[in-house]
Amino acid sequence: MRNVMIRDVIIGQGAPKIIVSLISSTRHNLVEEIEHMAPKQPDIWEWRLDFQESFEGNELTETLALIRELTYPTPLLVTYRTNQEGGHGCMKGAAYSELLTMTAASGFCDLVDVELFSEDSKELVHAIQQHNCKVIVSNHDFDRTPPKEELIWRLREMQLINGDIGKIAVMPKRPQDVLSLLDAAEHMKEHYADRPFIVMSMGNLGAITRLGGHHFGSAATFAAGASPSAPGQLPIELMKQLLK
């Protein structure tokens, strides 16, 4: 399996990398959020673009430049999570692709999230990578945990469209769902993975996957910043202590 190096962070090697999301809706609050979280030193920052009140005109580039300045040199991931996958974003099709491509072209971020089931996802991954930006291909299911075979298929599909990192997050309804996700991750690691991937089971029931997923192949995990961006996220201080 090849690793993914972003600045001085190597994803796929050593301890799982801890990602913290910025979810404030205004530029002023984003600055406060970063200043509060910076001393905790996440391995990767994520800006959840779909939480923004607006990004008309030059607002997107200006805010992204500010975030880059305040978080530098830590790698920065930008995500626009659509409402189909549990986020607040309503863009799709060409508008979604143009937004993500413009984000990558700005030069102010290191990774961009592309949803696996977005339109023309393979072409979008390629377009973003042309701007010297890595891609996390993701899939989220806030309603259920698909069967093991389906989870493996999705992780393999993320590789087939040439994402640099794959990511799956699912909601468990029973303990067996958590075991199915970890079993799928282990099978992926042993038989198919040629690049890093991330898996997590959400909510309180799935919290164990955020702490122990790396034993089954998961290369990174998400921790709560000022407030959680997804159900079941644990505080970064606790994550750092337990993942030493």
Side-chain angles (χ1 to χ4, degrees):
M1 183 190 298
R2 70 172 185 257
N3 301 319
V4 174
M5 186 165 186
I6 303 170
R7 299 188 182 273
D8 61 349
V9 174
I10 304 177
I11 302 171
Q13 178 178 303
K17 305 306 179 280
I18 299 177
I19 305 170
V20 167
S21 302
L22 300 169
I23 60 174
S24 295
S25 60
T26 66
R27 193 178 299 177
H28 174 76
N29 289 341
L30 277 168
V31 172
E32 291 187 338
E33 193 176 2
I34 293 169
E35 290 175 344
H36 173 70
M37 293 304 301
K40 306 179 193 299
Q41 298 182 317
D43 296 307
I44 299 171
W45 294 93
E46 178 190 41
W47 181 29
R48 281 288 301 273
L49 183 55
D50 55 297
F51 277 86
Q52 291 300 286
E53 288 182 348
S54 67
F55 35 86
E56 298 176 355
N58 295 325
E59 284 182 314
L60 170 61
T61 303
E62 291 173 357
T63 302
L64 188 53
L66 177 61
I67 295 172
R68 172 74 286 171
E69 178 183 353
L70 294 174
T71 60
Y72 187 84
T74 306
L76 176 61
L77 160 68
V78 177
T79 298
Y80 180 83
R81 181 70 59 234
T82 65
N83 48 26
Q84 291 98 324
E85 299 218 2
H88 298 271
C90 58
M91 285 188 182
K92 58 183 179 180
Y96 173 82
S97 297
E98 289 169 10
L99 176 66
L100 298 189
T101 304
M102 181 174 63
T103 299
S106 73
F108 295 127
C109 64
D110 305 289
L111 302 111
V112 171
D113 180 289
V114 171
E115 292 175 356
L116 175 63
F117 296 121
S118 59
E119 293 181 31
D120 301 319
S121 57
K122 183 176 181 179
E123 290 76 12
L124 179 54
V125 167
H126 179 72
I128 291 169
Q129 290 169 336
Q130 296 310 296
H131 295 287
N132 200 29
C133 197
K134 305 291 187 185
V135 177
I136 294 180
V137 179
S138 67
N139 175 241
H140 303 74
D141 195 324
F142 279 74
D143 297 320
R144 67 185 185 109
T145 298
K148 171 186 171 182
E149 294 74 16
E150 175 69 15
L151 294 168
I152 295 170
W153 178 85
R154 294 183 189 186
L155 286 168
R156 295 185 68 187
E157 193 69 13
M158 292 167 184
Q159 289 189 164
L160 287 172
I161 67 171
N162 204 35
D164 297 284
I165 301 167
K167 177 195 171 191
I168 282 185
V170 293
M171 185 64 73
K173 299 296 185 182
R174 56 196 180 116
Q176 183 59 44
D177 290 339
V178 179
L179 296 178
S180 292
L181 176 71
L182 294 176
D183 192 17
E186 173 73 12
H187 193 88
M188 182 72 185
K189 179 183 73 170
E190 294 297 328
H191 298 283
Y192 303 115
D194 61 10
R195 65 201 70 189
F197 63 86
I198 304 167
V199 297
M200 65 201 70
S201 187
M202 294 182 283
N204 292 335
L205 188 56
I208 190 172
T209 65
R210 298 183 183 276
L211 291 170
H214 58 289
H215 294 299
F216 299 83
S218 187
T221 186
F222 285 73
S227 59
S229 61
Q233 285 184 357
L234 302 171
I236 185 174
E237 300 92 335
L238 177 61
M239 297 288 283
K240 283 201 159 193
Q241 181 181 357
L242 295 174
L243 291 174
K244 283 182 179 178

